[in-house]
């Protein structure tokens, strides 16, 4: 963030004789074309950040869609866009809190079940002024208590609603944590490679540094603690201050689930090395095998007990966008802060206050996710059936996609243990690599662009997430509906065969 | 943002012999109490920012509310929290898009008017996957077109939907613009004094500098262009680069409406001096007199024509939170960018992509605000009547509040021409000023705290917005319902008399 950085000049400090003249002297307030917000004069951190999930492939896909081509958007975990239906009960309640006058209509009980009506009435008491009023900046206190109860039930340890912030999706919560902890480029956040680019983009935007630790593809994308420890050692030898380690469990884009023992090691590491744990647990309901069920970091931390349970700073994130609701558009999320300094909580509260209030519909959705119908409620059976059916279907699709890729020449793909994505390794023929380079493109970008143009399948190249030098990957969601999945796999396979033939 | 700044040490550059040792050497990654996210080790820009609207007064109010005291929250423009009812038609449509299965119910037309049903069906086509799917990062393209049509109808000049970003409320849009243009503390944004603290807080958070220009209280809080010009001159003589000027029309907290001529002068100023215009126009529907109707900056700019119309960079903001909907909780807003460099638009698009999608319910609400029922539609008459009644009631309340304050000893208050706030000047007796100082509080904070404790009326002290040295103010909304307004004014008056007596 040195004042002259964006102009490639020495920092102002090197020009003591010019002290007080500063930027106005260096070319005036506007670019020579007259634009004040000229791209050359923007915040350099903003310019530097990259965000592949909505990058070249996405833009190309949008362009083809506008031109009339049918696009299968498997580039982003957006289940409803591919035909997933919302859960009925939460949407009944949402309709009633959106239109409270329906509750006075004589026909309301013909259109809505009694428990949805009762729940809407309760929410309209909890949300003073209804969903049209700002809530507290960290979210409605009743919903925060419901989240705390959900966490307690999940983990077997109490949670404090004052340490829970409701946010417009988990992304906003992640960015809040990063913005608070990053002071400048000497501050480092450790991030898995491959990673979800929310992390790299936000770290760049806030002027920090990223240090990647590689997940081990040959071991089902597991985390190798020796390599994690090596990274922090290397960073420190460069004089950097490692502030936090991010991990995504279940993994995005890699789909692995972390074991209890692995989480224990991570906590031990955080305790010894004094780093904050950033636990991205938004896929906690998306688990497709029984060997590694989801375990929260909070639970493992509390079960470890001792100093660690009192000391280790943990921030965990959850959302209504994933799991069985898949309510991406409603933007409901939360962060739970564990073992934070009380004055830091006050600073975070102040920071979220600038936006006044997270959206109330997202908060209501979070309430319905963490406090769903109970056995005996009118809607219980249907609700339970809908949730289980969606996860069971995703489990079948996880197998279909993994098996599909592993049957393709040049592909190898770890089983999708959880989350919503497959991240296969793709061998790209030498001639295709050459061709890509001649076009100034990364070979995986070239492959994905050709796939998109020829099949309409929109994926994200591995380079957007990070991958070992010399290897190529791509990320696809496992979200096409089951009835479409066979077609998806076949189209993909056919393309791959033709591509390999073309560049053999 | 110098690396050692937060520790009160010389910048690292002054320790060349230690190059490469850096922060890790300076005390390690954690505070001596063991906390990594210790308040002393947070982003200093975040720590520095202040946000009075949710500051000491708000927290005290919340504390008293929890203890059982009835609080009148006139500290924030949150109409539904004080009893404003949502407009019926938009909420009917919202209910149907939240629960699309209702559209197949045989009784739907007994509970919903036909135009609400038709509109919901259209929105469910426009939003592929419904409100549960992420939209494009800058918002649904159909809604952006509707916003463009609304602007064209309002101003008589075309708008380009590609230059319109839908956002989670206008605050997010304002912060996007500031984050993009601020590079470091040599970059200055001019802000009116008094101002809405969203601006001061965001400028601090992004590491920029704020230069205030005073509004003239003796002239109905009008903008004095000579003083505006003096400020930019002063900033430049200090070597600062003034990037933009913020103005709020109608004004917050000051309630004034800018004249056509004033907007022309502002545009001329921006053109000559090369600064971006940040036009906060969220209160455009909240106008309570006929002499100064709302005129958008875009319209004035386009009517000026010539170089200015092609050159001047303008960003204007609007919301569903204010006006007759008052839908604060739904977080729907937009920014329109005029005369921006295309590569800058691409950078802004990339920046909003990190959060994937603004919330869809806010987008639907914006669609309903800018594209309401038309004459002849079943719901037209009721919709029109509800909107007009709310604004007419606010107009009466603007008079009640202004007159109420001007009838109070030691108070003087400009007429609330628009927006949702009164910002009276309050004489605070010398003994009360002394008392406040002995408590380490600003006298206006002391006055507002006493008001809160004794009447339950929650306001924001003028020092949270900025005021001329030696003067004191407070901000209150004009939002208590009319039937409560008399009580509000009388409680306030009684307190003021007792306070003045106590400190006479």
């Amino acid at each position: 963030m040195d004042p002259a950085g964006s102009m490639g000049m020495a920092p102002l400090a090197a020009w003591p004789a010019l002290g007080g003249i500063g930027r106005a002297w260096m070319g005036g307030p506007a670019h020579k074309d007259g634009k004040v917000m000229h791209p050359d004069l923007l915040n350099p951190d903003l310019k530097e950040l990259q965000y592949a999930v909505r990058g070249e492939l996405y833009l190309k896909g949008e362009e083809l869609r506008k031109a009339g081509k049918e696009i299968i958007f498997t580039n982003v975990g957006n289940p409803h866009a591919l035909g997933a239906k919302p859960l009925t009960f939460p949407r009944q309640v949402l309709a009633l809190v959106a239109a409270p006058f329906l509750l006075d209509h004589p026909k309301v009980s013909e259109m809505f079940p009694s428990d949805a009506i009762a729940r809407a009435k309760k929410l309209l008491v909890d949300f003073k002024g209804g969903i049209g009023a700002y809530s507290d900046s960290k979210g409605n206190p009743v919903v925060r208590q419901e989240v705390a109860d959900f966490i307690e039930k999940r983990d077997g340890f109490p949670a404090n609603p004052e340490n829970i912030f409701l946010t417009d999706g988990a992304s906003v919560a992640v960015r809040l944590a990063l913005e608070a902890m990053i002071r400048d480029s000497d501050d480092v956040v450790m991030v898995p490679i491959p990673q979800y680019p929310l992390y790299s983009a936000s770290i760049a935007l806030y002027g920090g540094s990223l240090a990647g630790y590689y997940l081990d593809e040959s071991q089902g994308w597991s985390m190798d603690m020796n390599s994690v420890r090596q990274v922090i050692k290397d960073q420190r030898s460069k004089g950097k201050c490692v502030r936090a380690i991010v991990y995504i469990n279940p993994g995005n884009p890699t789909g692995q689930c972390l074991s209890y023992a692995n989480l224990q090691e991570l906590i031990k590491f955080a305790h010894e090395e004094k780093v904050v744990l950033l636990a991205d647990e938004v896929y906690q309901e998306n688990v497709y095998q029984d060997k590694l069920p989801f375990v929260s970091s909070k639970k493992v931390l509390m079960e470890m007990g001792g100093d660690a349970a009192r000391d280790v700073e943990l921030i965990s994130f959850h959302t209504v966008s994933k799991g069985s609701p898949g309510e991406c558009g409603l933007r409901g999320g939360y962060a739970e802060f564990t073992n934070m300094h009380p004055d830091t909580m006050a600073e975070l509260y102040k920071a979220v206050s600038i936006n006044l209030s997270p959206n109330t519909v997202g908060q209501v959705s979070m309430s319905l996710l963490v406090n769903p119908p109970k056995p005996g409620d009118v809607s219980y059976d249907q609700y339970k059936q809908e949730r289980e059916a969606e996860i069971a279907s995703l489990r079948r699709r996880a197998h279909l996609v993994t098996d599909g890729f592993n049957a393709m020449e040049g592909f190898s793909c770890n089983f999708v243990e959880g989350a919503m994505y497959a991240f296969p390794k793709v061998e790209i023929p030498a001639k295709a690599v050459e061709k890509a380079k001649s076009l100034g493109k990364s070979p995986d970008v070239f492959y994905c662009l050709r796939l998109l143009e020829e099949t309409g399948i929109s994926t994200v190249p591995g380079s957007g997430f990070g991958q070992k030098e010399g290897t190529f990957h791509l990320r696809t969601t496992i979200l096409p509906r089951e009835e479409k999945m066979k077609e998806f796999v076949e189209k993909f396979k056919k393309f791959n065969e033709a591509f390999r033939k073309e560049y053999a």
Side-chain angles (χ1 to χ4, degrees), chain A residues 68-222:
Chain A
K69 192 173 172 76
E70 196 198 338
I71 305 296
I72 306 168
F73 281 103
T74 52
N75 59 312
V76 56
N78 193 7
H80 291 217
L82 291 178
K85 292 274 164 283
L87 302 171
T88 306
F89 177 80
R91 290 299 194 92
Q92 287 169 326
V93 177
L94 266 189
L96 290 168
V97 298
F101 43 80
L102 294 178
L103 292 165
D104 302 324
H105 195 283
K107 299 262 159 85
V108 66
S109 59
E110 294 177 42
M111 288 187 82
F112 294 90
S114 58
D115 52 353
I117 291 172
R119 186 61 180 274
K121 284 182 177 166
K122 179 186 182 304
L123 282 160
L124 289 166
V125 172
D126 297 343
F127 283 76
K128 194 173 152 20
I131 60 169
Y134 293 129
S135 72
D136 188 87
S137 307
K138 58 184 175 184
N140 183 285
V142 180
V143 180
R144 285 190 278 113
Q145 182 63 58
E146 290 176 312
V147 171
D149 295 344
F150 160 82
I151 293 171
E152 179 162 354
K153 198 174 156 199
R154 182 193 67 188
D155 295 343
F157 294 90
N160 179 353
E162 292 310 309
N163 294 334
I164 292 162
F165 283 23
L166 303 177
T167 51
D168 290 314
S171 299
V172 170
V174 166
R175 295 177 68 179
L176 169 68
L178 293 172
E179 187 161 33
M181 70 171 64
I182 293 173
R183 293 161 293 183
D184 55 53
S185 61
D186 274 344
D187 276 345
V188 171
V189 177
M190 289 176 66
V191 161
I193 303 292
Q195 56 111 21
Y196 179 53
L198 163 66
Y199 294 98
S200 49
S202 302
I203 294 164
L205 182 60
Y206 301 135
S209 298
L210 179 151
Y213 62 90
Y214 283 99
L215 301 176
D216 186 350
E217 185 167 17
S218 70
Q219 301 293 318
W221 294 116
S222 67

Side-chain angles (χ1 to χ4, degrees), chain A residues 377-393:
Chain A
D377 292 352
V378 182
S379 299
Y380 177 75
D381 289 340
Q382 184 188 350
Y383 179 81
K384 184 163 177 279
Q385 186 274 325
E386 287 177 355
R387 272 185 92 155
E388 289 176 356
E390 182 61 16
I391 299 297
S393 165

Side-chain angles (χ1 to χ4, degrees), chain A residues 7 47 67 117 221 264 275 323 326 375 377 404 446:
Chain A
M7 298 177 201
K47 285 181 63 185
I117 291 172
W221 294 116
Q264 281 180 315
V275 297
D377 292 352
F446 176 66

Side-chain angles (χ1 to χ4, degrees), chain A residues 358-428:
Chain A
N359 90 80
T360 50
V361 173
Q363 296 183 52
V364 169
S365 302
M366 183 56 82
S367 161
L368 294 162
L369 173 66
V370 298
N371 184 13
K374 305 269 175 297
D377 292 352
V378 182
S379 299
Y380 177 75
D381 289 340
Q382 184 188 350
Y383 179 81
K384 184 163 177 279
Q385 186 274 325
E386 287 177 355
R387 272 185 92 155
E388 289 176 356
E390 182 61 16
I391 299 297
S393 165
L394 282 167
R395 184 188 275 238
R396 289 191 294 271
R397 285 179 268 168
H399 283 281
L400 284 171
V401 172
T402 311
D403 294 349
F405 281 135
N406 284 326
M408 276 162 57
E409 216 187 326
F411 271 65
S412 67
C413 186
N414 281 313
F415 175 60
V416 179
E417 296 171 346
M420 290 184 170
Y421 314 97
F423 196 68
K425 183 155 69 179
V426 188
E427 273 175 33
I428 298 184

Side-chain angles (χ1 to χ4, degrees), chain A residues 468-486:
Chain A
K468 280 214 161 144
E469 184 73 27
T471 69
F472 301 110
H473 299 75
L474 59 84
R475 187 188 82 165
T476 169
T477 69
I478 59 165
L479 295 177
R481 306 306 292 170
E482 279 183 87
E483 60 274 19
K484 294 244 175 183
M485 191 51 101
K486 212 179 142 194

Side-chain angles (χ1 to χ4, degrees), chain A residues 296-351:
Chain A
S296 79
S297 293
K298 173 92 177 293
K299 181 182 170 74
V300 179
L301 176 62
M302 291 300 134
E303 287 181 349
M304 275 176 74
D307 289 350
R310 280 188 304 272
D311 293 347
V312 171
E313 291 151 272
L314 164 68
I315 312 177
S316 60
F317 307 99
H318 197 15
T319 186
V320 301
S321 301
K322 311 301 173 188
S324 53
E327 293 280 14
C328 295
L330 303 185
R331 314 310 285 128
Y334 78 72
E336 185 194 15
F337 298 86
T338 303
N339 291 329
M340 287 286 144
H341 192 291
D343 293 351
T344 294
M345 291 308 298
E347 291 291 342
L348 293 167
Y349 189 21
K350 184 186 71 177

